[in-house]
Amino acid sequence: MSRYHAIMTNDVVNGEGVCVSFWVQGCPHHCPGCFNPETWDFKEGQPYTEHTKWEIIEDIGANGLTRNFSILGGEPLDEHNVGMVEEVVTAVRQAYPNIKIFLWTGFTIEDLSGCFDQKIGRILNTIDVLIDGPFIEAEKDLSLKLRGSKNQRIFQKIDGKFEEKK
Ligand code: SF4
């Protein structure tokens, strides 16, 4: 069973505007200097259930404000987490066709484009913005938007394809 680390209802740091942020639990990358090492262990955090999905959907529309949605880690695209993430992004997209969905991964877009996992393919088809690559301490730059190090890139979906945002 997949596990998650936390849900934040009103996050103004990760994403654009106000977002519901969902941190998955478990990461195989173990980047030195990672800001969230407590998300590395696949056995920690809380079990994901149907209730978690509905909590996220309710939170996105809570108090009459529609929020964007951010998925962070941990590693959302690890094999232990893709089933959960696919279920959540599919449900969120059905409930809110017009919000922006952001996803952070330690894999590069090149790693992902050579991957034939259908769940990952469906997740990438559903989200709007992908922030890729591991955190590299030697390239750390706290002034970067949405990223911790210069090697990481922001890809925005335009006409169904990811294009790097410079
Ligand atoms: S991929 Fe992200 S969560 Fe995983 S170790 Fe690297 S910085 Fe931390």
PDB file of all heavy atoms in Angstrom, residues 108-137:
ATOM      1  N   THR A 108      14.688  12.808 -14.364  1.00  0.00           N
ATOM      2  CA  THR A 108      14.705  13.845 -15.401  1.00  0.00           C
ATOM      3  C   THR A 108      13.637  13.514 -16.443  1.00  0.00           C
ATOM      4  O   THR A 108      13.191  12.372 -16.569  1.00  0.00           O
ATOM      5  CB  THR A 108      16.074  13.919 -16.104  1.00  0.00           C
ATOM      6  OG1 THR A 108      16.291  12.664 -16.776  1.00  0.00           O
ATOM      7  CG2 THR A 108      17.193  14.189 -15.121  1.00  0.00           C
ATOM      8  N   ILE A 109      13.279  14.517 -17.220  1.00  0.00           N
ATOM      9  CA  ILE A 109      12.270  14.287 -18.259  1.00  0.00           C
ATOM     10  C   ILE A 109      12.811  13.286 -19.288  1.00  0.00           C
ATOM     11  O   ILE A 109      12.039  12.524 -19.872  1.00  0.00           O
ATOM     12  CB  ILE A 109      11.824  15.620 -18.901  1.00  0.00           C
ATOM     13  CG1 ILE A 109      10.453  15.437 -19.561  1.00  0.00           C
ATOM     14  CG2 ILE A 109      12.859  16.165 -19.858  1.00  0.00           C
ATOM     15  CD1 ILE A 109       9.728  16.724 -19.860  1.00  0.00           C
ATOM     16  N   GLU A 110      14.137  13.243 -19.450  1.00  0.00           N
ATOM     17  CA  GLU A 110      14.722  12.261 -20.369  1.00  0.00           C
ATOM     18  C   GLU A 110      14.537  10.840 -19.814  1.00  0.00           C
ATOM     19  O   GLU A 110      14.221   9.919 -20.564  1.00  0.00           O
ATOM     20  CB  GLU A 110      16.210  12.551 -20.600  1.00  0.00           C
ATOM     21  CG  GLU A 110      16.492  13.809 -21.403  1.00  0.00           C
ATOM     22  CD  GLU A 110      16.406  15.105 -20.607  1.00  0.00           C
ATOM     23  OE1 GLU A 110      16.296  15.049 -19.364  1.00  0.00           O
ATOM     24  OE2 GLU A 110      16.447  16.188 -21.223  1.00  0.00           O
ATOM     25  N   ASP A 111      14.740  10.673 -18.481  1.00  0.00           N
ATOM     26  CA  ASP A 111      14.478   9.361 -17.853  1.00  0.00           C
ATOM     27  C   ASP A 111      13.032   8.950 -18.143  1.00  0.00           C
ATOM     28  O   ASP A 111      12.748   7.792 -18.464  1.00  0.00           O
ATOM     29  CB  ASP A 111      14.588   9.421 -16.313  1.00  0.00           C
ATOM     30  CG  ASP A 111      15.976   9.736 -15.801  1.00  0.00           C
ATOM     31  OD1 ASP A 111      16.947   9.377 -16.487  1.00  0.00           O
ATOM     32  OD2 ASP A 111      16.083  10.332 -14.707  1.00  0.00           O
ATOM     33  N   LEU A 112      12.129   9.891 -17.979  1.00  0.00           N
ATOM     34  CA  LEU A 112      10.696   9.574 -18.064  1.00  0.00           C
ATOM     35  C   LEU A 112      10.258   9.309 -19.494  1.00  0.00           C
ATOM     36  O   LEU A 112       9.380   8.483 -19.732  1.00  0.00           O
ATOM     37  CB  LEU A 112       9.868  10.720 -17.472  1.00  0.00           C
ATOM     38  CG  LEU A 112      10.131  10.987 -15.984  1.00  0.00           C
ATOM     39  CD1 LEU A 112       9.434  12.248 -15.532  1.00  0.00           C
ATOM     40  CD2 LEU A 112       9.689   9.797 -15.141  1.00  0.00           C
ATOM     41  N   SER A 113      10.884  10.000 -20.453  1.00  0.00           N
ATOM     42  CA  SER A 113      10.433   9.786 -21.834  1.00  0.00           C
ATOM     43  C   SER A 113      10.895   8.415 -22.350  1.00  0.00           C
ATOM     44  O   SER A 113      10.315   7.883 -23.286  1.00  0.00           O
ATOM     45  CB  SER A 113      10.891  10.918 -22.753  1.00  0.00           C
ATOM     46  OG  SER A 113      12.267  11.042 -22.665  1.00  0.00           O
ATOM     47  N   GLY A 114      11.900   7.817 -21.686  1.00  0.00           N
ATOM     48  CA  GLY A 114      12.318   6.471 -22.073  1.00  0.00           C
ATOM     49  C   GLY A 114      11.628   5.387 -21.265  1.00  0.00           C
ATOM     50  O   GLY A 114      11.987   4.219 -21.343  1.00  0.00           O
ATOM     51  N   CYS A 115      10.623   5.779 -20.486  1.00  0.00           N
ATOM     52  CA  CYS A 115       9.966   4.832 -19.578  1.00  0.00           C
ATOM     53  C   CYS A 115       8.615   4.423 -20.168  1.00  0.00           C
ATOM     54  O   CYS A 115       7.871   5.261 -20.666  1.00  0.00           O
ATOM     55  CB  CYS A 115       9.789   5.542 -18.237  1.00  0.00           C
ATOM     56  SG  CYS A 115       8.494   4.899 -17.231  1.00  0.00           S
ATOM     57  N   PHE A 116       8.328   3.143 -20.120  1.00  0.00           N
ATOM     58  CA  PHE A 116       7.093   2.665 -20.749  1.00  0.00           C
ATOM     59  C   PHE A 116       6.013   2.330 -19.717  1.00  0.00           C
ATOM     60  O   PHE A 116       5.047   1.662 -20.031  1.00  0.00           O
ATOM     61  CB  PHE A 116       7.402   1.448 -21.637  1.00  0.00           C
ATOM     62  CG  PHE A 116       8.303   1.809 -22.774  1.00  0.00           C
ATOM     63  CD1 PHE A 116       9.648   1.480 -22.754  1.00  0.00           C
ATOM     64  CD2 PHE A 116       7.807   2.515 -23.864  1.00  0.00           C
ATOM     65  CE1 PHE A 116      10.492   1.840 -23.797  1.00  0.00           C
ATOM     66  CE2 PHE A 116       8.640   2.888 -24.913  1.00  0.00           C
ATOM     67  CZ  PHE A 116       9.986   2.547 -24.881  1.00  0.00           C
ATOM     68  N   ASP A 117       6.182   2.808 -18.492  1.00  0.00           N
ATOM     69  CA  ASP A 117       5.170   2.562 -17.455  1.00  0.00           C
ATOM     70  C   ASP A 117       3.897   3.338 -17.823  1.00  0.00           C
ATOM     71  O   ASP A 117       3.907   4.557 -17.932  1.00  0.00           O
ATOM     72  CB  ASP A 117       5.723   3.020 -16.100  1.00  0.00           C
ATOM     73  CG  ASP A 117       4.800   2.672 -14.950  1.00  0.00           C
ATOM     74  OD1 ASP A 117       3.614   3.060 -14.991  1.00  0.00           O
ATOM     75  OD2 ASP A 117       5.267   2.028 -14.011  1.00  0.00           O
ATOM     76  N   GLN A 118       2.798   2.603 -17.993  1.00  0.00           N
ATOM     77  CA  GLN A 118       1.561   3.257 -18.441  1.00  0.00           C
ATOM     78  C   GLN A 118       0.996   4.202 -17.394  1.00  0.00           C
ATOM     79  O   GLN A 118       0.385   5.213 -17.725  1.00  0.00           O
ATOM     80  CB  GLN A 118       0.516   2.207 -18.801  1.00  0.00           C
ATOM     81  CG  GLN A 118       0.923   1.423 -20.039  1.00  0.00           C
ATOM     82  CD  GLN A 118      -0.166   0.486 -20.503  1.00  0.00           C
ATOM     83  OE1 GLN A 118      -1.132   0.243 -19.807  1.00  0.00           O
ATOM     84  NE2 GLN A 118       0.010  -0.040 -21.702  1.00  0.00           N
ATOM     85  N   LYS A 119       1.217   3.860 -16.110  1.00  0.00           N
ATOM     86  CA  LYS A 119       0.709   4.758 -15.054  1.00  0.00           C
ATOM     87  C   LYS A 119       1.450   6.097 -15.123  1.00  0.00           C
ATOM     88  O   LYS A 119       0.831   7.160 -15.029  1.00  0.00           O
ATOM     89  CB  LYS A 119       0.894   4.129 -13.675  1.00  0.00           C
ATOM     90  CG  LYS A 119      -0.026   2.943 -13.459  1.00  0.00           C
ATOM     91  CD  LYS A 119       0.089   2.430 -12.047  1.00  0.00           C
ATOM     92  CE  LYS A 119      -0.907   1.315 -11.851  1.00  0.00           C
ATOM     93  NZ  LYS A 119      -0.360   0.136 -11.276  1.00  0.00           N
ATOM     94  N   ILE A 120       2.763   6.040 -15.285  1.00  0.00           N
ATOM     95  CA  ILE A 120       3.526   7.290 -15.395  1.00  0.00           C
ATOM     96  C   ILE A 120       3.059   8.064 -16.621  1.00  0.00           C
ATOM     97  O   ILE A 120       2.872   9.285 -16.571  1.00  0.00           O
ATOM     98  CB  ILE A 120       5.048   7.001 -15.445  1.00  0.00           C
ATOM     99  CG1 ILE A 120       5.501   6.469 -14.081  1.00  0.00           C
ATOM    100  CG2 ILE A 120       5.832   8.258 -15.826  1.00  0.00           C
ATOM    101  CD1 ILE A 120       6.965   6.123 -13.978  1.00  0.00           C
ATOM    102  N   GLY A 121       2.821   7.378 -17.717  1.00  0.00           N
ATOM    103  CA  GLY A 121       2.331   8.048 -18.934  1.00  0.00           C
ATOM    104  C   GLY A 121       1.011   8.761 -18.676  1.00  0.00           C
ATOM    105  O   GLY A 121       0.823   9.906 -19.091  1.00  0.00           O
ATOM    106  N   ARG A 122       0.110   8.097 -17.949  1.00  0.00           N
ATOM    107  CA  ARG A 122      -1.198   8.722 -17.688  1.00  0.00           C
ATOM    108  C   ARG A 122      -1.049   9.904 -16.727  1.00  0.00           C
ATOM    109  O   ARG A 122      -1.728  10.914 -16.863  1.00  0.00           O
ATOM    110  CB  ARG A 122      -2.187   7.683 -17.159  1.00  0.00           C
ATOM    111  CG  ARG A 122      -2.666   6.730 -18.259  1.00  0.00           C
ATOM    112  CD  ARG A 122      -3.857   5.913 -17.826  1.00  0.00           C
ATOM    113  NE  ARG A 122      -3.501   4.882 -16.878  1.00  0.00           N
ATOM    114  CZ  ARG A 122      -3.188   3.610 -17.210  1.00  0.00           C
ATOM    115  NH1 ARG A 122      -3.215   3.239 -18.467  1.00  0.00           N
ATOM    116  NH2 ARG A 122      -2.865   2.733 -16.287  1.00  0.00           N
ATOM    117  N   ILE A 123      -0.143   9.786 -15.767  1.00  0.00           N
ATOM    118  CA  ILE A 123       0.088  10.922 -14.853  1.00  0.00           C
ATOM    119  C   ILE A 123       0.624  12.113 -15.646  1.00  0.00           C
ATOM    120  O   ILE A 123       0.135  13.238 -15.512  1.00  0.00           O
ATOM    121  CB  ILE A 123       1.088  10.524 -13.730  1.00  0.00           C
ATOM    122  CG1 ILE A 123       0.466   9.476 -12.815  1.00  0.00           C
ATOM    123  CG2 ILE A 123       1.522  11.754 -12.934  1.00  0.00           C
ATOM    124  CD1 ILE A 123       1.461   8.772 -11.894  1.00  0.00           C
ATOM    125  N   LEU A 124       1.608  11.869 -16.504  1.00  0.00           N
ATOM    126  CA  LEU A 124       2.201  12.977 -17.276  1.00  0.00           C
ATOM    127  C   LEU A 124       1.171  13.591 -18.222  1.00  0.00           C
ATOM    128  O   LEU A 124       1.199  14.793 -18.484  1.00  0.00           O
ATOM    129  CB  LEU A 124       3.432  12.495 -18.050  1.00  0.00           C
ATOM    130  CG  LEU A 124       4.603  12.014 -17.180  1.00  0.00           C
ATOM    131  CD1 LEU A 124       5.757  11.548 -18.058  1.00  0.00           C
ATOM    132  CD2 LEU A 124       5.083  13.096 -16.214  1.00  0.00           C
ATOM    133  N   ASN A 125       0.255  12.777 -18.718  1.00  0.00           N
ATOM    134  CA  ASN A 125      -0.800  13.320 -19.589  1.00  0.00           C
ATOM    135  C   ASN A 125      -1.778  14.201 -18.830  1.00  0.00           C
ATOM    136  O   ASN A 125      -2.432  15.050 -19.431  1.00  0.00           O
ATOM    137  CB  ASN A 125      -1.608  12.177 -20.236  1.00  0.00           C
ATOM    138  CG  ASN A 125      -0.865  11.577 -21.392  1.00  0.00           C
ATOM    139  OD1 ASN A 125       0.030  12.206 -21.949  1.00  0.00           O
ATOM    140  ND2 ASN A 125      -1.205  10.351 -21.756  1.00  0.00           N
ATOM    141  N   THR A 126      -1.892  13.986 -17.530  1.00  0.00           N
ATOM    142  CA  THR A 126      -2.919  14.677 -16.740  1.00  0.00           C
ATOM    143  C   THR A 126      -2.413  15.969 -16.103  1.00  0.00           C
ATOM    144  O   THR A 126      -3.169  16.911 -15.936  1.00  0.00           O
ATOM    145  CB  THR A 126      -3.448  13.721 -15.636  1.00  0.00           C
ATOM    146  OG1 THR A 126      -3.871  12.515 -16.256  1.00  0.00           O
ATOM    147  CG2 THR A 126      -4.605  14.321 -14.872  1.00  0.00           C
ATOM    148  N   ILE A 127      -1.121  16.006 -15.736  1.00  0.00           N
ATOM    149  CA  ILE A 127      -0.607  17.195 -15.037  1.00  0.00           C
ATOM    150  C   ILE A 127      -0.318  18.322 -16.023  1.00  0.00           C
ATOM    151  O   ILE A 127      -0.300  18.119 -17.241  1.00  0.00           O
ATOM    152  CB  ILE A 127       0.667  16.861 -14.224  1.00  0.00           C
ATOM    153  CG1 ILE A 127       1.814  16.456 -15.157  1.00  0.00           C
ATOM    154  CG2 ILE A 127       0.376  15.777 -13.200  1.00  0.00           C
ATOM    155  CD1 ILE A 127       3.162  16.338 -14.452  1.00  0.00           C
ATOM    156  N   ASP A 128      -0.056  19.529 -15.480  1.00  0.00           N
ATOM    157  CA  ASP A 128       0.224  20.703 -16.318  1.00  0.00           C
ATOM    158  C   ASP A 128       1.674  21.150 -16.253  1.00  0.00           C
ATOM    159  O   ASP A 128       2.195  21.700 -17.213  1.00  0.00           O
ATOM    160  CB  ASP A 128      -0.648  21.888 -15.857  1.00  0.00           C
ATOM    161  CG  ASP A 128      -2.104  21.544 -15.921  1.00  0.00           C
ATOM    162  OD1 ASP A 128      -2.635  21.479 -17.038  1.00  0.00           O
ATOM    163  OD2 ASP A 128      -2.715  21.298 -14.862  1.00  0.00           O
ATOM    164  N   VAL A 129       2.303  20.974 -15.084  1.00  0.00           N
ATOM    165  CA  VAL A 129       3.673  21.479 -14.905  1.00  0.00           C
ATOM    166  C   VAL A 129       4.507  20.391 -14.223  1.00  0.00           C
ATOM    167  O   VAL A 129       4.083  19.826 -13.204  1.00  0.00           O
ATOM    168  CB  VAL A 129       3.693  22.762 -14.040  1.00  0.00           C
ATOM    169  CG1 VAL A 129       5.121  23.293 -13.893  1.00  0.00           C
ATOM    170  CG2 VAL A 129       2.799  23.838 -14.635  1.00  0.00           C
ATOM    171  N   LEU A 130       5.675  20.099 -14.807  1.00  0.00           N
ATOM    172  CA  LEU A 130       6.588  19.091 -14.267  1.00  0.00           C
ATOM    173  C   LEU A 130       7.888  19.791 -13.878  1.00  0.00           C
ATOM    174  O   LEU A 130       8.464  20.530 -14.694  1.00  0.00           O
ATOM    175  CB  LEU A 130       6.881  18.046 -15.344  1.00  0.00           C
ATOM    176  CG  LEU A 130       7.852  16.936 -14.972  1.00  0.00           C
ATOM    177  CD1 LEU A 130       7.148  15.883 -14.120  1.00  0.00           C
ATOM    178  CD2 LEU A 130       8.426  16.268 -16.223  1.00  0.00           C
ATOM    179  N   ILE A 131       8.343  19.583 -12.640  1.00  0.00           N
ATOM    180  CA  ILE A 131       9.647  20.111 -12.226  1.00  0.00           C
ATOM    181  C   ILE A 131      10.530  18.885 -12.053  1.00  0.00           C
ATOM    182  O   ILE A 131      10.225  18.001 -11.253  1.00  0.00           O
ATOM    183  CB  ILE A 131       9.545  20.930 -10.921  1.00  0.00           C
ATOM    184  CG1 ILE A 131       8.631  22.147 -11.135  1.00  0.00           C
ATOM    185  CG2 ILE A 131      10.932  21.408 -10.495  1.00  0.00           C
ATOM    186  CD1 ILE A 131       7.223  21.972 -10.765  1.00  0.00           C
ATOM    187  N   ASP A 132      11.621  18.810 -12.821  1.00  0.00           N
ATOM    188  CA  ASP A 132      12.367  17.551 -12.902  1.00  0.00           C
ATOM    189  C   ASP A 132      13.753  17.619 -12.264  1.00  0.00           C
ATOM    190  O   ASP A 132      14.289  18.701 -12.020  1.00  0.00           O
ATOM    191  CB  ASP A 132      12.468  17.098 -14.375  1.00  0.00           C
ATOM    192  CG  ASP A 132      13.670  17.695 -15.102  1.00  0.00           C
ATOM    193  OD1 ASP A 132      14.137  18.798 -14.738  1.00  0.00           O
ATOM    194  OD2 ASP A 132      14.169  17.049 -16.042  1.00  0.00           O
ATOM    195  N   GLY A 133      14.302  16.438 -12.031  1.00  0.00           N
ATOM    196  CA  GLY A 133      15.700  16.292 -11.653  1.00  0.00           C
ATOM    197  C   GLY A 133      15.947  16.250 -10.160  1.00  0.00           C
ATOM    198  O   GLY A 133      15.191  16.810  -9.365  1.00  0.00           O
ATOM    199  N   PRO A 134      17.044  15.594  -9.773  1.00  0.00           N
ATOM    200  CA  PRO A 134      17.399  15.522  -8.357  1.00  0.00           C
ATOM    201  C   PRO A 134      17.895  16.877  -7.845  1.00  0.00           C
ATOM    202  O   PRO A 134      18.302  17.731  -8.635  1.00  0.00           O
ATOM    203  CB  PRO A 134      18.541  14.498  -8.338  1.00  0.00           C
ATOM    204  CG  PRO A 134      19.167  14.632  -9.693  1.00  0.00           C
ATOM    205  CD  PRO A 134      18.048  14.961 -10.644  1.00  0.00           C
ATOM    206  N   PHE A 135      17.877  17.056  -6.539  1.00  0.00           N
ATOM    207  CA  PHE A 135      18.496  18.233  -5.934  1.00  0.00           C
ATOM    208  C   PHE A 135      20.003  18.000  -5.894  1.00  0.00           C
ATOM    209  O   PHE A 135      20.462  16.975  -5.382  1.00  0.00           O
ATOM    210  CB  PHE A 135      17.950  18.442  -4.515  1.00  0.00           C
ATOM    211  CG  PHE A 135      18.659  19.526  -3.771  1.00  0.00           C
ATOM    212  CD1 PHE A 135      18.489  20.852  -4.129  1.00  0.00           C
ATOM    213  CD2 PHE A 135      19.519  19.228  -2.721  1.00  0.00           C
ATOM    214  CE1 PHE A 135      19.152  21.870  -3.459  1.00  0.00           C
ATOM    215  CE2 PHE A 135      20.192  20.225  -2.043  1.00  0.00           C
ATOM    216  CZ  PHE A 135      20.004  21.550  -2.409  1.00  0.00           C
ATOM    217  N   ILE A 136      20.764  18.948  -6.440  1.00  0.00           N
ATOM    218  CA  ILE A 136      22.231  18.839  -6.419  1.00  0.00           C
ATOM    219  C   ILE A 136      22.781  20.001  -5.588  1.00  0.00           C
ATOM    220  O   ILE A 136      22.606  21.174  -5.963  1.00  0.00           O
ATOM    221  CB  ILE A 136      22.810  18.844  -7.855  1.00  0.00           C
ATOM    222  CG1 ILE A 136      22.297  17.619  -8.615  1.00  0.00           C
ATOM    223  CG2 ILE A 136      24.337  18.864  -7.829  1.00  0.00           C
ATOM    224  CD1 ILE A 136      22.774  17.503 -10.047  1.00  0.00           C
ATOM    225  N   GLU A 137      23.399  19.633  -4.463  1.00  0.00           N
ATOM    226  CA  GLU A 137      23.797  20.654  -3.496  1.00  0.00           C
ATOM    227  C   GLU A 137      24.753  21.684  -4.101  1.00  0.00           C
ATOM    228  O   GLU A 137      24.650  22.877  -3.824  1.00  0.00           O
ATOM    229  CB  GLU A 137      24.442  19.969  -2.283  1.00  0.00           C
ATOM    230  CG  GLU A 137      24.269  20.768  -1.034  1.00  0.00           C
ATOM    231  CD  GLU A 137      24.444  19.913   0.218  1.00  0.00           C
ATOM    232  OE1 GLU A 137      25.043  18.817   0.122  1.00  0.00           O
ATOM    233  OE2 GLU A 137      24.003  20.356   1.279  1.00  0.00           O
TER     234      GLU A 137
END
